Amino acid sequence: MPIVRQFGTWAKIVFAAVVLVIVLSPSNIALADTKTAGVVSQPQQNWAEVKTILDRRCVVCHSCYDAPCQLKLTSPQGLLRGASKEAVYHTERLKDAQPTRLGIDAQTVPEWVRLGFFPILHTEEQSKEDSTLLEKYLNLGREYPLSANNPVPDELGLAIDRPLVCPTSSEFGDFRNSHPLAGMPYAAAPLSENDFHVFTNWVRRGAPISSSLAEMPAEIQSQIDAWEAFLNGSDLRNRLMSRYLYEHLFLARLHFDNDDSRRFFKLVRSITPPGKAIDVVATRRPFDNPGIEQVHYRLQVIDESIVHKEHLVYTLSPDRMSRFKELFLDTDWNLFELPPYGTAEGGNPFSTFSAIPARSRYQFLLDDALFFVRSFIRGPVCHGETAVDVIEDRFWVSFLDPDADLSVTDPDFLENGAQYLELPVSDMNDGALGDLQAFSHKNQVRYIEYRDSQYRNSSIFTTGFDYSSIWDGDGDNPDARITVFRHFDNASAMTGYHGAVPETAWIIDFPIFERIYYDLVAGYDVFGRVEHQLSTRLYMDELRMESEDLFLSFMPEDVRQEMHNGWYKGTLAELHTYWHRRHVDNDFPSGIEFTTPNPKKEFLVELLRNGKGLWPVSDAINRCSPGDCLQHLQDPIDQTVRGLANQRGPWVQYLPDLSILIVETEDGSSRIFSLAHDKAHTNVAFLFDEEARREPQSDVLTVIPGLFASYPNFFFNVRQEKLGDFIKETKAVQSQDEWMELVAEYGVRRTSPDFWETSDFLNTFFLDQSPIEAGILDLNRYKDPKKEDDPT
């Protein structure tokens, strides 16, 4: 159950109440300064080869905050930091934890030691003959290999919330005796002979590391200088604009047009001005007080492997700078004093940035709507666990047009309504469980009442919203239509409408958009206590309902209640609606004359038709009439794979949340498809007991060509001539035994000799498919089908 994993015992009580000392030998490594301790400047003979092995065999599990034992191996600094016994995801934490962010919260090996990290490589105190912790793990995996093509032994847990044992080198003997099968790679096929020897020889030579950063081209450095000058202007308006941009782009992987497809930067606040070495200001949240009179916004090059689950690309260019000037500096607004910093202020961006025109702020979000929706998912938590158990498995998103949004067109709307728009973080205090105000939805209720009164007193109450009230991307922006997929405890987002017409759809206006961002991204602290995690989740519940309500206001008045009831089935869901004081507004008119008996489908498809060709109206694999599909699907593989799409049956529930289907074609190439399992629920209104709210008989698969999600759960490898048989046999599965037979014939188990080769192939394919957007796929959630895991 996701809530058991996510929040644990203390969270239930609250809810019911409302790797490292790593100091390498001086002969092997030079500690140049406190910022780059342990990283040698001269190139080493096989570091590039070692880094490739790290990326392909280690980073696939050891990255971001969810790296086991906090052993993050995406960068040299992560190797030097080592591991920790403290988990970042501590679901019963009653006090905020000390942040341990690489490059931010400590810079040197001794500083990491003081924060509880211990080494995985040699230290000065160790003899060169002693095995490092890294070697011990690799040797254990060699000594006790797992049986090929068989299920992983039960003693090796794969759940992301499994208890972790994180031994130091001196504790490894006892760990080895009690966990003999826990060698590395964990619960997977072993390293190849070549990889093992390359890796161990590198370690025995002192683990020499060299920077992977290439020399900065002059044309890119020129753009960096231009952007830093732009972001550090002295004018008060410029300074507030830069603060707004930083709070929204601090997670971005900034990429320059026409630059190397794998070079990225991040926007940081620095003590030092442009022209000097960056000295990052370390705060828990991007809106916290930096503690100095003036920060400097700098572009810092990213020196680590790119992992897809945290890869949020945002492009910089001269056109982008011109757009920022147009939105923020060429508009008519004045500022005589900068707003303060702090949690209370950061909990309400509508008051903090009230001087900047709402239209500018909303258009900034709309310009890159997909980036911001993805940030809800790939934000501080790396995976969208806090956000995703509050959403359906697949839904379509569109946005209220700025000209139809009263928060944009009426200056008084936000001036008078901002008091109701404070986010939960503004109510946090230093107590163990706070005063629980953050769990109250009273401000949200007041805001909904305020919003309703404002719209009822506006001209739109006479006409109602129509198709022109939905942002169309200004004729050239595909981000105006987005599909969100939930994959149990993580999620994905794509432009366009994919799959069959979903059960629910959202329409987001400016107040919703900004609040989701500050709730799940800018204001979310992954090191925060249980109260913070719960209040974040509960507030997101409010924002989902608000988005659904806005969608309903476009529907005919006489179908709204029935549609809402279909989303919130059951007595508890009705009580949930009552407790939140939500009601379906049947008085607000719809400005659309519907002509079919299915207004939801009619409305959503018409939004695609109004897109001036930005998105296909039909989804040839998942959503179109058979005749139309055959016209659009010329490839026989696509025609065959379509047999899995949008089909109901007992077989669907056996498929994991996200499978990757590799079809080996007759010409020796491969076609890749992502199979997203859309799980049906009676409602998504509660934190607890999701399985009790499942409707597996209504589950379907959505088939997406290529790769789009971060966490594959399983691989299928099928030859083209066997594809029809695979489809037929998949749809015939009605028991766990039959599912296991399908896995045995077509699946790639964690213990398969082909497991790593398949993983490498898909990561290479992803990079070819999306050279800038791609990143290493995460295998922490790769499933291990077993006979006893019957979903029925």
Side-chain angles (χ1 to χ4, degrees):
M1 303 306 100
I3 186 59
V4 173
R5 181 183 64 257
Q6 184 177 344
F7 293 124
T9 304
W10 266 107
K12 295 177 183 178
I13 294 172
V14 173
F15 185 74
V18 192
V19 351
L20 154 73
V21 182
I22 299 179
V23 181
L24 300 181
S25 168
S27 63
N28 296 300
I29 195 162
L31 303 185
D33 60 30
T34 60
K35 300 301 178 190
T36 58
V39 182
V40 294
S41 57
Q42 70 271 25
Q44 297 292 340
Q45 184 176 357
N46 69 337
W47 167 244
E49 191 175 7
V50 169
K51 186 178 183 303
T52 298
I53 298 172
L54 277 169
D55 286 347
R56 292 180 173 180
R57 303 292 176 265
C58 307
V59 169
V60 289
C61 289
H62 285 273
S63 59
C64 200
Y65 297 123
D66 56 357
C69 304
Q70 290 199 62
L71 180 58
K72 184 178 180 183
L73 298 176
T74 54
S75 68
Q77 288 72 24
L79 275 166
L80 297 175
R81 181 179 71 167
S84 170
K85 294 180 182 292
E86 295 296 322
V88 172
Y89 295 106
H90 189 338
T91 58
E92 299 180 10
R93 185 161 51 217
L94 298 184
K95 292 186 178 181
D96 293 341
Q98 164 65 47
T100 53
R101 298 162 295 183
L102 270 174
I104 297 176
D105 299 309
Q107 305 293 341
T108 66
V109 169
E111 289 173 349
W112 288 120
V113 171
R114 288 193 288 272
L115 291 179
F117 285 79
F118 53 86
I120 61 168
L121 301 176
H122 273 118
T123 68
E124 288 183 331
E125 292 76 21
Q126 282 183 302
S127 165
K128 278 299 184 63
E129 280 66 47
D130 293 336
S131 294
T132 65
L133 184 59
L134 181 57
E135 290 175 283
K136 291 175 180 179
Y137 266 114
L138 293 175
N139 287 327
L140 184 60
R142 299 271 290 183
E143 188 175 354
Y144 296 98
L146 302 182
S147 180
N149 285 322
N150 281 322
V152 171
D154 290 339
E155 63 193 84
L156 293 180
L158 295 177
I160 63 169
D161 65 331
R162 67 185 184 274
L164 294 177
V165 181
C166 301
T168 64
S169 187
S170 62
E171 297 167 340
F172 194 83
D174 291 338
F175 173 83
R176 179 186 180 281
N177 293 333
S178 56
H179 301 83
L181 298 179
M184 295 295 139
Y186 182 81
L191 291 179
S192 69
E193 288 289 326
N194 180 72
D195 288 354
F196 177 79
H197 289 297
V198 167
F199 216 120
T200 54
N201 288 339
W202 170 73
V203 173
R204 299 311 297 173
R205 291 194 298 108
I209 299 171
S210 61
S211 174
S212 59
L213 292 178
E215 184 177 353
M216 196 67 66
E219 59 271 23
I220 300 302
Q221 185 60 55
S222 176
Q223 292 190 64
I224 293 172
D225 295 342
W227 274 98
E228 290 188 344
F230 172 69
L231 293 169
N232 290 288
S234 59
D235 178 78
L236 289 183
R237 295 199 319 158
N238 194 295
R239 290 174 64 182
L240 187 61
M241 173 200 69
S242 296
R243 176 178 170 181
Y244 184 81
L245 294 176
Y246 170 72
E247 291 187 13
H248 288 79
L249 298 178
F250 73 103
L251 288 180
R253 299 290 177 84
L254 303 172
H255 182 262
F256 287 106
D257 268 350
N258 303 317
D259 191 16
D260 184 325
S261 64
R262 306 311 288 167
R263 179 164 37 229
F264 302 94
F265 301 82
K266 58 183 175 181
L267 182 61
V268 299
R269 296 192 297 183
S270 176
I271 297 173
T272 51
K276 294 187 178 181
I278 293 174
D279 188 354
V280 175
V281 175
T283 59
R284 297 186 78 94
R285 300 179 178 89
F287 50 71
D288 287 344
N289 194 326
I292 57 177
E293 183 176 350
Q294 183 174 351
V295 297
H296 303 277
Y297 298 99
R298 308 289 303 279
L299 271 60
Q300 184 179 57
V301 66
I302 293 174
D303 183 16
E304 64 176 329
S305 303
I306 301 302
V307 180
H308 188 252
K309 63 184 177 181
E310 57 179 353
H311 191 44
L312 290 160
V313 178
Y314 193 91
T315 302
L316 297 183
S317 66
D319 287 343
R320 175 79 74 181
M321 188 181 294
S322 297
R323 179 60 165 167
F324 285 170
K325 291 177 180 178
E326 176 189 354
L327 289 176
F328 297 108
L329 301 180
D330 295 343
T331 51
D332 185 18
W333 59 286
N334 296 305
L335 183 66
F336 303 102
E337 184 181 14
L338 291 171
Y341 286 99
T343 301
E345 290 74 19
N348 195 334
F350 301 98
S351 56
T352 300
F353 299 105
S354 60
I356 302 176
R359 183 178 293 272
S360 297
R361 288 178 280 155
Y362 188 28
Q363 193 63 58
F364 166 76
L365 297 175
L366 292 177
D367 280 356
D368 292 272
L370 181 64
F371 167 85
F372 289 107
V373 171
R374 282 177 170 169
S375 73
F376 308 158
I377 296 162
R378 304 182 197 172
V381 292
C382 300
H383 55 276
E385 189 171 38
T386 299
V388 299
D389 71 351
V390 72
I391 61 176
E392 293 283 1
D393 268 42
R394 182 176 54 84
F395 58 96
W396 294 350
V397 177
S398 51
F399 304 89
L400 197 63
D401 190 85
D403 288 333
D405 190 335
L406 283 184
S407 72
V408 172
T409 61
D410 182 357
D412 293 334
F413 186 97
L414 287 178
E415 183 177 349
N416 297 324
Q419 59 183 315
Y420 309 124
L421 295 174
E422 287 189 348
L423 282 92
V425 68
S426 66
D427 289 322
M428 297 289 108
N429 64 27
D430 294 329
L433 291 178
D435 57 9
L436 302 185
Q437 288 186 28
F439 298 106
S440 171
H441 59 279
K442 60 184 180 182
N443 266 351
Q444 178 66 6
V445 171
R446 291 170 181 167
Y447 172 68
I448 294 299
E449 293 173 347
Y450 170 78
R451 184 186 186 280
D452 287 349
S453 69
Q454 295 300 300
Y455 274 91
R456 285 174 182 272
N457 291 322
S458 71
S459 60
I460 197 67
F461 189 70
T462 303
T463 62
F465 292 128
D466 59 19
Y467 288 113
S468 68
S469 303
I470 299 293
W471 181 55
D472 66 357
D474 299 321
D476 60 5
N477 192 335
D479 288 9
R481 307 286 179 266
I482 290 174
T483 301
V484 175
F485 296 84
R486 177 193 174 194
H487 316 294
F488 185 49
D489 59 6
N490 61 94
S492 308
M494 303 174 66
T495 56
Y497 286 168
H498 299 273
V501 174
E503 180 181 10
T504 61
W506 292 14
I507 294 176
I508 294 176
D509 64 7
F510 175 46
I512 295 173
F513 209 168
E514 193 78 286
R515 280 179 293 156
I516 296 178
Y517 179 80
Y518 272 82
D519 186 44
L520 298 181
V521 185
Y524 185 76
D525 180 9
V526 70
F527 298 95
R529 58 193 183 274
V530 63
E531 178 198 359
H532 170 64
Q533 298 176 40
L534 276 171
S535 62
T536 298
R537 161 58 175 79
L538 293 173
Y539 195 74
M540 185 60 212
D541 196 26
E542 302 278 2
L543 298 174
R544 181 202 69 244
M545 291 188 290
E546 196 175 331
S547 303
E548 293 170 342
D549 290 348
L550 187 50
F551 173 79
L552 286 176
S553 68
F554 284 78
M555 295 293 100
E557 295 91 324
D558 59 349
V559 305
R560 294 174 187 173
Q561 188 65 57
E562 181 182 0
M563 196 175 294
H564 181 273
N565 292 345
W567 301 342
Y568 294 90
K569 300 174 186 174
T571 302
L572 287 178
E574 293 175 3
L575 290 173
H576 173 275
T577 302
Y578 175 79
W579 185 70
H580 285 272
R581 302 187 193 177
R582 310 304 281 246
H583 69 279
V584 175
D585 187 349
N586 292 323
D587 296 328
F588 195 95
S590 173
I592 300 173
E593 292 290 335
F594 290 94
T595 60
T596 70
N598 190 339
K600 178 176 67 173
K601 178 179 180 180
E602 180 181 343
F603 173 73
L604 292 169
V605 172
E606 187 62 29
L607 291 184
L608 295 174
R609 291 197 179 101
N610 292 343
K612 301 178 182 178
L614 285 175
W615 319 276
V617 174
S618 65
D619 178 338
I621 290 181
N622 300 280
R623 186 187 74 253
C624 63
S625 62
D628 290 339
C629 288
L630 293 178
Q631 292 178 16
H632 293 294
L633 294 178
Q634 301 299 321
D635 192 301
I637 292 177
D638 291 333
Q639 295 174 7
T640 305
V641 169
R642 183 176 177 270
L644 287 174
N646 195 29
Q647 305 289 315
R648 294 184 181 183
W651 59 276
V652 182
Q653 62 188 304
Y654 290 92
L655 273 292
D657 293 274
L658 184 75
S659 306
I660 306 300
L661 172 61
I662 304 169
V663 181
E664 299 179 10
T665 64
E666 295 171 349
D667 63 4
S669 60
S670 295
R671 292 287 309 282
I672 309 297
F673 298 89
S674 296
L675 312 180
H677 184 173
D678 301 339
K679 295 179 178 177
H681 304 80
T682 57
N683 64 80
V684 291
F686 299 99
L687 292 164
F688 305 106
D689 202 12
E690 179 178 348
E691 283 301 314
R693 292 177 281 115
R694 286 274 289 111
E695 293 185 314
Q697 70 278 5
S698 297
D699 291 2
V700 297
L701 287 187
T702 298
V703 179
I704 304 294
L707 299 173
F708 74 99
S710 304
Y711 300 90
N713 299 130
F714 202 68
F715 304 147
F716 290 104
N717 202 327
V718 182
R719 297 193 309 275
Q720 182 175 352
E721 64 268 22
K722 295 283 290 181
L723 182 59
D725 292 338
F726 169 74
I727 303 294
K728 182 179 179 179
E729 292 170 33
T730 298
K731 296 172 71 172
V733 170
Q734 297 195 42
S735 69
Q736 187 69 11
D737 285 342
E738 292 172 342
W739 167 242
M740 296 296 290
E741 291 173 4
L742 187 78
V743 166
E745 184 172 1
Y746 301 104
V748 181
R749 283 194 170 278
R750 297 177 67 99
T751 56
S752 167
D754 297 328
F755 178 68
W756 291 118
E757 182 181 357
T758 305
S759 173
D760 293 347
F761 167 74
L762 288 172
N763 279 301
T764 300
F765 173 89
F766 202 7
L767 196 58
D768 290 339
Q769 171 192 295
S770 309
I772 296 174
E773 295 282 349
I776 297 170
L777 298 173
D778 191 284
L779 299 178
N780 274 302
R781 288 160 179 74
Y782 199 89
K783 301 297 183 183
D784 182 51
K786 294 182 180 180
K787 217 169 192 179
E788 58 270 23
D789 296 336
D790 194 327
T792 61

